Amino acid sequence: MNAVGVDIGGTKVAIAVVETSGRILKEDVIPTDKSVAPSEMIDRINQKIEELIKETRMALSDIKGIGIGSPGPLDSKNGIITYPPNLENWRNVPIVQQVKEYFNIPVTLENDANAAAMAEKWLGAAKENEDFAYMTISTGIGAGIFAEGKLLGGSRGNAGDIGHTVVDPSYGQCPCGQYGCLEYIASGTAIARRGSELAGEELTTQQVFERYHAGDEVIKPYINDVFRIIGVACVSVINTLDPEKIIIGGGVSKVGEPLFKAVRDYVSQYALNPDGRKTEIVPAQLDQNAGVVGAAGLCLNQ
């Protein structure tokens, strides 16, 4: 059997037809148009899914289901995207119902970090692990958590929203209202904002990291502190959930070894349990397609 994976983001929606092996048969991307009603955007997603299935020359009966990964907060049990900050006009959108009415096959909705964690469990860095956390650090920060071999969803599917854990109130007020949230300090968005303030000119996240690598004396201490704060977040995850491994993905993880070394050093000193200090901290293996492959995996690996 095959399945369709849909990965909804703030700027684009990735859609793919995926085999049981995890191989992508057909894929495409459409822009996330925030100027139209969510129902219109979902219509475009449905049409693109239909187009991709036709291109594979498969019948709808060959598709086990459609898995959707979306930014939270959401209500996965009732199939509703409730309040994602980066999809400003998507409020209480019954996406599962609209997709199911169009195709009349099973449709599953999960938090996007959960979908990516599913992909890492199925095909990536967590194939051997029953207890692990996948942490994505990109526009925002979130985590997908596997406990005893099962994806940890929570009562509404929002478990793992670690981006709004308070780590250092001195960094100021997050848009969520709390002071010093992890996401407000260490996400790609935060790094671009704070790096620009420190440099006195508009910089992208990539440009901030370029200056860090070049040894910029203003940027370097800040980025080193970001790495420390990601270490703090990992220690909190280890102390709370006792995982075997933490996998870090998302755009910020592309900075590579300096980040991983700093986080491993921090964890090896501060995790409470001596065994917890040896928790593996590794890069994601499926970053590019993790969301869409994991979303399909929600149907294929049930």
Side-chain angles (χ1 to χ4, degrees), residues 83-113:
Y83 206 86
N86 60 352
L87 293 169
E88 297 82 1
N89 60 335
W90 290 53
R91 297 291 176 260
N92 298 314
V93 177
I95 186 167
V96 166
Q97 183 189 334
Q98 194 177 334
V99 176
K100 208 179 249 178
E101 279 171 2
Y102 194 95
F103 291 102
N104 197 28
I105 59 173
V107 180
T108 308
L109 174 69
E110 270 294 352
N111 180 293
D112 49 6

Side-chain angles (χ1 to χ4, degrees), residues 179-218:
Y179 285 79
C181 284
L182 174 63
E183 184 170 296
Y184 189 66
I185 302 167
S187 65
T189 314
I191 289 165
R193 185 193 68 246
R194 182 79 178 133
S196 299
E197 284 168 13
L198 291 169
E201 60 181 294
E202 202 64 31
L203 299 174
T204 63
T205 312
Q206 180 70 31
Q207 288 167 327
V208 174
F209 279 126
E210 281 165 11
R211 292 195 180 198
Y212 167 78
H213 287 307
D216 185 303
E217 287 180 11
V218 178

Side-chain angles (χ1 to χ4, degrees), residues 3-21:
V4 173
V6 179
D7 183 26
I8 298 173
T11 55
K12 64 184 192 297
V13 179
I15 302 162
V17 181
V18 180
E19 283 185 319
T20 313
S21 65

Side-chain angles (χ1 to χ4, degrees), residues 18-299:
V18 180
E19 283 185 319
T20 313
S21 65
R23 188 168 76 92
I24 291 175
L25 296 174
K26 281 281 174 191
E27 63 182 319
D28 207 350
V29 170
I30 57 175
T32 305
D33 187 347
K34 296 179 194 175
S35 69
V36 301
S39 58
E40 163 64 25
M41 191 61 222
I42 295 164
D43 268 340
R44 294 179 193 176
I45 292 169
N46 285 339
Q47 285 158 20
K48 180 54 74 177
I49 292 170
E50 192 169 40
E51 199 179 293
L52 290 176
I53 293 170
K54 277 185 182 146
E55 283 175 21
T56 61
R57 298 197 155 88
M58 264 186 264
L60 197 56
S61 57
D62 297 322
I63 303 290
K64 187 176 180 186
I66 297 167
I68 302 167
S70 161
L74 44 76
D75 179 347
S76 62
K77 292 190 170 61
N78 292 305
I80 296 166
I81 297 174
T82 54
Y83 206 86
N86 60 352
L87 293 169
E88 297 82 1
N89 60 335
W90 290 53
R91 297 291 176 260
N92 298 314
V93 177
I95 186 167
V96 166
Q97 183 189 334
Q98 194 177 334
V99 176
K100 208 179 249 178
E101 279 171 2
Y102 194 95
F103 291 102
N104 197 28
I105 59 173
V107 180
T108 308
L109 174 69
E110 270 294 352
N111 180 293
D112 49 6
N114 287 353
M118 167 62 80
E120 291 294 336
K121 171 69 181 149
W122 180 19
L123 302 162
K127 279 194 282 205
E128 311 302 316
N129 304 106
E130 297 292 288
D131 292 87
F132 73 94
Y134 167 85
M135 189 186 295
T136 177
I137 309 175
S138 52
T139 310
I141 296 180
I145 296 154
F146 265 76
E148 297 175 357
K150 294 191 184 74
L151 188 60
L152 192 65
S155 62
R156 287 169 291 273
N158 295 304
D161 203 347
I162 60 167
H164 297 282
T165 307
V166 171
V167 287
D168 189 342
S170 72
Y171 272 90
Q173 190 173 22
C174 175
C176 83
Q178 296 197 101
Y179 285 79
C181 284
L182 174 63
E183 184 170 296
Y184 189 66
I185 302 167
S187 65
T189 314
I191 289 165
R193 185 193 68 246
R194 182 79 178 133
S196 299
E197 284 168 13
L198 291 169
E201 60 181 294
E202 202 64 31
L203 299 174
T204 63
T205 312
Q206 180 70 31
Q207 288 167 327
V208 174
F209 279 126
E210 281 165 11
R211 292 195 180 198
Y212 167 78
H213 287 307
D216 185 303
E217 287 180 11
V218 178
I219 297 292
K220 204 163 179 191
Y222 163 61
I223 294 297
N224 284 335
D225 203 44
V226 165
F227 294 164
R228 177 187 68 84
I229 278 164
I230 294 169
V232 170
C234 287
V235 165
S236 295
V237 168
I238 292 164
N239 290 350
T240 308
L241 296 163
D242 197 22
E244 303 161 88
K245 184 180 278 182
I246 294 178
I247 298 163
I248 302 178
V252 171
S253 71
K254 298 288 181 288
V255 71
E257 197 46 36
L259 165 66
F260 285 92
K261 183 182 183 317
V263 171
R264 287 178 191 126
D265 286 351
Y266 192 91
V267 165
S268 71
Q269 286 181 71
Y270 296 110
L272 192 60
N273 183 336
D275 288 334
R277 292 175 201 159
K278 299 175 192 143
T279 305
E280 285 183 80
I281 314 286
V282 302
Q285 284 182 10
L286 298 170
D287 239 16
Q288 201 57 40
N289 294 315
V292 76
V293 169
L298 297 167
C299 303

